[in-house]
Amino acid sequence: MKKGTLYGVSLGPGDPDLITLRAWSLLESAGSWVYPVQKSGGECRALTIAQQSGANSCNNASELLFPCTSKAKELAKHCLLAARHVQGMLDWGDDVYFLIEGDAAKNQNYNYLLSSLKALDQGVKSELVPGVVASPAASTTTDSDERTLAIVPSNRCIQSIKSTLLQVDTLIVPNPKPLMAELILLLKECNLMGKALVIENVGTSDERTITKLETLIDYPLDPLSLLYVDNSQRSSAVKRQQCSHDSAHLSFS
């Protein structure tokens, strides 16, 4: 069966008349809508824009929970659950339209979802649909103490993962099993073994937290798992250098 494609559909700054023809044609075509919410049953501005546009409303639109939280482990768990939900639809051959207010390229939730999906399926197909962008009302400033987070697919080489780890406060690797031995060596090299853990069977009744990572080298770890690394104690000099080059609160890989 041919797998579906994930589309990050930009819907503009709020006026339904500013939806692009490309986005409109996708909303009118067969496929499944998904939209981000901060809490279950919560409102989504992107969904409202799509509905107000007059496009054929998708009867099976489903929410994806991306809570507004500073707890990186909690956010990572929801990203992986959202990815697994979307993966199921794609595997059935459905195209999935992720509804986004503003510009999809700058949307944190879409980037999190896509990174987590690629960790579960390296061959996932995706397309970013640009939209009309509204100029920001004010510039964003970043304090050197703000935490940065990156979600890195496990198909990356270990040197790439190391480079990312050294620049962020929190590293998440969904489905870390393929690189577990190399990841453990990296954590030992960086003196972070005591700051890392694996959450297995995320979101299920069998969910458990594993801190003794060496036991996982030959263990058949479930794909619905993630490696969490707390690197918030990295040096202040490194943080200042990072903030001088990156004004984003969260980063993606």
Side-chain angles (χ1 to χ4, degrees):
M1 178 183 296
K2 182 179 179 181
K3 294 184 178 181
T5 299
L6 171 67
Y7 294 86
V9 184
S10 304
L11 299 176
D15 187 342
D17 289 337
L18 296 179
I19 294 177
T20 65
L21 289 175
R22 175 60 174 156
W24 172 265
S25 66
L26 290 174
L27 294 178
E28 286 280 279
S29 63
S32 298
W33 294 7
V34 294
Y35 56 93
V37 295
Q38 293 186 359
K39 62 180 181 179
S40 182
E43 295 183 356
C44 174
R45 178 60 180 160
L47 177 62
T48 300
I49 296 171
Q51 292 172 334
Q52 291 178 345
S53 71
N56 292 326
S57 181
C58 187
N59 293 326
N60 62 338
S62 56
E63 66 179 32
L64 300 178
L65 183 59
F66 294 93
C68 183
T69 176
S70 60
K71 298 179 180 179
K73 283 190 291 186
E74 188 69 17
L75 177 60
K77 287 169 59 176
H78 285 289
C79 289
L80 191 54
L81 290 173
R84 179 54 67 91
H85 177 70
V86 171
Q87 182 188 35
M89 292 188 285
L90 296 175
D91 287 347
W92 275 103
D94 292 340
D95 288 334
V96 178
Y97 309 134
F98 186 95
L99 307 180
I100 301 169
E101 179 183 9
D103 183 20
K106 300 179 180 179
N107 186 270
Q108 294 175 347
N109 294 331
Y110 177 75
N111 279 282
Y112 283 146
L113 175 63
L114 184 56
S115 292
S116 299
L117 265 174
K118 287 181 177 179
L120 297 174
D121 180 3
Q122 298 180 19
V124 66
K125 295 183 294 182
S126 65
E127 179 182 328
L128 195 64
V129 182
V132 177
V133 181
S135 300
S139 61
T140 300
T141 58
T142 301
D143 184 82
S144 60
D145 290 332
E146 289 187 345
R147 294 177 63 89
T148 53
L149 179 151
I151 298 178
V152 182
S154 58
N155 63 327
R156 288 286 189 89
C157 70
I158 198 66
Q159 287 303 318
S160 175
I161 295 177
K162 178 180 179 180
S163 177
T164 301
L165 173 61
L166 296 177
Q167 299 180 61
V168 299
D169 298 304
T170 304
L171 179 75
I172 304 296
V173 182
N175 189 23
K177 178 58 180 177
L179 278 179
M180 184 55 66
E182 293 177 272
L183 287 168
I184 289 174
L185 290 176
L186 172 61
L187 292 171
K188 288 181 177 179
E189 176 187 345
C190 298
N191 296 317
L192 289 171
M193 282 294 286
K195 297 289 185 177
L197 55 85
V198 166
I199 304 175
E200 186 183 25
N201 297 314
V202 173
T204 73
S205 59
D206 296 323
E207 179 178 309
R208 68 182 184 125
T209 298
I210 305 166
T211 55
K212 296 181 179 180
L213 302 189
E214 293 94 337
T215 63
L216 299 177
I217 293 179
D218 297 317
Y219 178 80
L221 192 64
D222 189 270
L224 194 60
S225 303
L226 61 87
L227 170 70
Y228 170 87
V229 184
D230 179 2
N231 191 32
S232 58
Q233 300 303 311
R234 63 199 177 101
S235 71
S236 298
V238 172
K239 288 189 178 184
R240 286 195 296 271
Q241 182 180 16
Q242 168 68 11
C243 290
S244 67
H245 290 87
D246 186 0
S247 60
H249 179 63
L250 298 175
S251 61
F252 314 96
S253 296

